[in-house]
Amino acid sequence: MATEVATVNKPVDIANGYISFETKTADDAAKLYNAVSGAESLKEHVNVPLKVKDVIIQNIQSLNDDTGVVEDRILTTLITEDGKAYASNSNTVASDIRNLLTFMGEPGTRHWVKPITLVAKSVKSTSERSFLTLTLG
């Protein structure tokens, strides 16, 4: 009986941020700027299939509305094939993208050669807090 071993990529280190495309030209830099500065909230697009072509992960600081304390967070921006951008500071979304990068490969490689369809889902924790997660669509 043969045993198959699943192969995965080395986990992508997102601790210092991540951009799935190179910014060699002014057009590339403009794409990055426009995605980061003009992204819509992913939370407003729950259950909407998004054909994701690129990903940006940034370390940011944001105010926690519950505690009033500024916290270090991860901002994940998904760029779709039509150039629209959707951002979330959900740790779960960042973790989901890290797993996708590990299992599917980085955009443009392995199993992510074409845009992949991702769907944001709103889920309740056992303590009844809502959070976002990503599923393959």
Side-chain angles (χ1 to χ4, degrees):
M1 173 190 244
T3 303
E4 284 189 40
V5 177
T7 59
V8 296
N9 292 332
K10 179 180 175 190
V12 174
D13 181 10
I14 65 170
N16 295 314
Y18 173 82
I19 304 169
S20 66
F21 56 93
E22 294 186 23
T23 55
K24 291 182 177 180
T25 68
D27 286 344
D28 295 338
K31 174 183 173 181
L32 175 61
Y33 174 80
N34 287 334
V36 169
S37 66
E40 297 178 35
S41 172
L42 184 61
K43 194 183 295 185
E44 301 302 318
H45 298 276
V46 169
N47 297 320
V48 176
L50 303 172
K51 289 190 172 277
V52 177
K53 181 180 179 211
D54 283 303
V55 177
I56 301 167
I57 298 173
Q58 298 172 270
N59 295 311
I60 62 166
Q61 291 187 324
S62 68
L63 181 65
N64 182 317
D65 292 332
D66 295 332
T67 65
V69 175
V70 175
E71 299 175 337
D72 291 329
R73 302 294 306 246
I74 297 173
L75 181 67
T76 305
T77 303
L78 309 176
I79 303 173
T80 57
E81 65 183 349
D82 61 1
K84 292 184 179 176
Y86 305 88
S88 173
N89 67 358
S90 162
N91 289 331
T92 307
V93 168
S95 178
D96 290 343
I97 290 296
R98 182 178 30 247
N99 286 336
L100 277 171
L101 292 170
T102 300
F103 302 139
M104 302 288 286
E106 296 182 58
T109 68
R110 266 187 96 204
H111 305 298
W112 199 335
V113 175
K114 296 185 225 172
I116 60 172
T117 302
L118 296 176
V119 180
K121 301 284 184 179
S122 181
V123 179
K124 291 234 186 230
S125 69
T126 54
S127 62
E128 294 299 312
R129 291 191 64 154
S130 292
F131 64 95
L132 289 180
T133 187
L134 295 174
T135 61
L136 286 169

